[in-house]
Amino acid sequence: MTLKVEKEFKPSETRRIVKNVVIISLAFMVHFTAYSGAANLQSSINAEEGLGMSSLAAVYAGLILSNIFLPTAVIKWLGTKWAISLSFVTYMPFIAAQLWPSFYTMIPAGLCVGLGGGPLWCAKCTYLSVVSEVHSKLSNIKAEAVLTRFFGLFFMIFQFNQVWGNLISSLVLSSGDNHAAVTAINATMIPEICGANFLPSADAAEALQRQPYEKIQLLSGIYLACMATAAIIVAIGVDSMKRYDTGRAIKVMGGVEMLMATLKLLVEPKQIMLITIMVFTGLQQAFFGADFTASFVSCAVGTGTVGYVMLTFGIADAIGCFVTGYIAKITGRLPLICVATVVHMALVATILLWKPQANMSYVMYIIAVLWGLCDSVWLVQINAFFGILFPGREEAAFSNFRLWESVGYIIAYVISPHLRTSSKAYLLGTAMLVGVFLYFIVEFQLKKERDEKKREEKKTKEPENGLDNKAFTIAE
């Protein structure tokens, strides 16, 4: 922390810092109201030939390239504030492409989203990390606690995008018919086709309804307006990070330099052991938003219900982000991760065993609530853990997090049309168990390092104290 922070700011500056965090969170919520609302429908409205899943895979393929080559340079050139605002604009072609869905429009639009996503998320994480340091200095609260609290606040507000985005899609799409196509054929076929047995490449044409063009047109117009509003909110309402200069410099790197810096961090043992849980975070979100909604909700109940189920997921996720951020201050991360693992494994087992029925939609809402609570733990605690694990290298660390999370999304979207839901559920459960096991190893290594550091500091102080006592005795 530099003297600039200590001299120029009064304690009341903490309120302004919180205001900036809230405004950024609101802007992300408005923006992803549009993107998540559209993305959650891809497995249902663009299911033919796997178009929707292919476009989402393109998003995260672009995001991987973006995370390697772009974040540091973009943040240096534009600053975190303008990197966020302008990155929002790169998502708009994806919404416009919904009006003319084809591989020639949606794949390039998906890549455009990915290229903007790297700087967007990295700039957000960097901004939160820097202002948490300043807040910590002014409030005398540990920087680790402030950062965790800010991530909790951000994700609490951010996850409401699931509420508004899916409420909009549900109101628009359910305004007409909202029946599962299977019910028109034979209601007894639902348990056979839907649920764990669902295979998109074979069952989508029979089980999922095509939506009228007028509804897609209305949705696209609303979502484009949301994205434009988000960019304006950040441009007008957020302070530049130059105000909170803490002395850290962001070096401009070319593509090759950024790749080498990323690879350098990737080969660190702790980073390697956390790869599986990073992949899992993307895998589980993509599975719920694409596979669960298509194989259980759209297939058994109707596409118009997808938004309501995802809305429920979003509310639970937002509440969980707020609550778990404070619970972690009392219990620490480990108990929360343990509980989330047990509950999430139970949900995977439910997906494998439960046979959906059109009159049992309440079970889908229960699953959505529990899945949202688990997701809030993964989001807040793993993100905060990266900020703590790699101090001073947050840009590279968060870039790596998004990179491997994107790998999880890509895996989910690429295999989605070709595997039954049961196979994908087994993959999800395995990734979770392996990822959490390796995460525990890193946690215990970190604890061991901190304990050793405390012992060394104690040994360093003891000779000094002994010398002082000896001098004091001679003086007497």
Side-chain angles (χ1 to χ4, degrees), residues 234-462:
V234 173
I236 296 176
V238 175
D239 291 321
S240 171
M241 202 176 72
K242 292 179 181 178
R243 178 181 179 86
Y244 303 111
D245 180 21
T246 59
R248 75 170 65 185
I250 301 177
K251 180 184 175 184
V252 178
M253 296 183 183
V256 176
E257 285 184 286
M258 187 61 187
L259 177 60
M260 295 306 296
T262 302
L263 293 176
K264 184 178 179 181
L265 186 61
L266 282 176
V267 297
E268 293 192 12
K270 290 186 178 68
Q271 179 78 19
I272 292 173
M273 284 191 286
L274 291 172
I275 286 176
T276 306
I277 199 165
M278 289 186 284
V279 172
F280 164 72
T281 58
L283 197 64
Q284 60 91 15
Q285 291 182 67
F287 177 87
F288 188 83
D291 294 300
F292 179 80
T293 55
S295 58
F296 284 85
V297 185
S298 290
C299 185
V301 184
T303 304
T305 308
V306 169
Y308 292 121
V309 171
M310 293 302 298
L311 183 153
T312 305
F313 166 83
I315 293 175
D317 209 330
I319 294 173
C321 287
F322 178 76
V323 173
T324 57
Y326 283 90
I327 292 176
K329 290 168 57 181
I330 302 171
T331 65
R333 286 184 298 274
L334 285 176
L336 284 172
I337 295 294
C338 290
V339 171
T341 303
V342 172
V343 174
H344 223 145
M345 284 303 300
L347 291 173
V348 171
T350 301
I351 285 171
L352 290 169
L353 299 175
W354 179 54
K355 302 292 184 181
Q357 300 283 351
N359 61 349
M360 296 179 66
S361 59
Y362 65 90
V363 178
M364 301 174 191
Y365 289 100
I366 294 172
I367 293 173
V369 169
L370 295 175
W371 204 291
L373 293 174
C374 291
D375 185 54
S376 69
V377 175
W378 306 125
L379 284 176
V380 175
Q381 301 308 318
I382 302 301
N383 267 283
F385 186 57
F386 265 72
I388 295 161
L389 196 60
F390 302 104
R393 294 186 293 169
E394 289 89 350
E395 291 87 0
F398 289 128
S399 180
N400 272 282
F401 182 90
R402 293 298 298 176
L403 187 154
W404 289 109
E405 185 182 43
S406 300
V407 171
Y409 276 100
I410 291 174
I411 292 172
Y413 293 141
V414 168
I415 66 175
S416 180
H418 310 294
L419 295 179
R420 295 193 183 277
T421 301
S422 57
S423 300
K424 290 173 277 190
Y426 282 120
L427 174 63
L428 183 67
T430 302
M432 187 193 324
L433 292 177
V434 173
V436 170
F437 174 74
L438 294 174
Y439 162 80
F440 283 157
I441 294 176
V442 177
E443 277 278 15
F444 287 123
Q445 285 181 343
L446 182 62
K447 184 179 183 300
K448 184 178 179 181
E449 290 172 3
R450 286 178 172 177
D451 291 341
E452 289 178 356
K453 186 177 180 181
K454 288 180 181 178
R455 283 195 295 269
E456 290 176 2
E457 290 176 352
K458 188 176 180 181
K459 288 180 181 179
T460 304
K461 291 179 181 179
E462 283 177 355

Side-chain angles (χ1 to χ4, degrees), residues 77 227 346:
W77 293 332
M227 289 185 170

Side-chain angles (χ1 to χ4, degrees), residues 183 368 405 473:
T183 60
E405 185 182 43
T473 304

Side-chain angles (χ1 to χ4, degrees), residues 13-67:
E13 183 69 20
T14 55
R15 290 195 294 271
R16 185 161 185 159
I17 291 173
V18 173
K19 180 214 73 171
N20 284 317
V21 174
V22 170
I23 291 176
I24 288 175
S25 304
L26 288 171
F28 269 75
M29 181 196 73
V30 173
H31 177 77
F32 281 90
T33 287
Y35 176 71
S36 65
N40 290 337
L41 293 171
Q42 293 307 303
S43 61
S44 299
I45 64 174
N46 291 314
E48 293 183 11
E49 299 182 3
L51 174 60
M53 294 297 94
S54 297
S55 69
L56 293 176
V59 168
Y60 290 96
L63 194 56
I64 288 178
L65 295 174
S66 175
N67 275 308

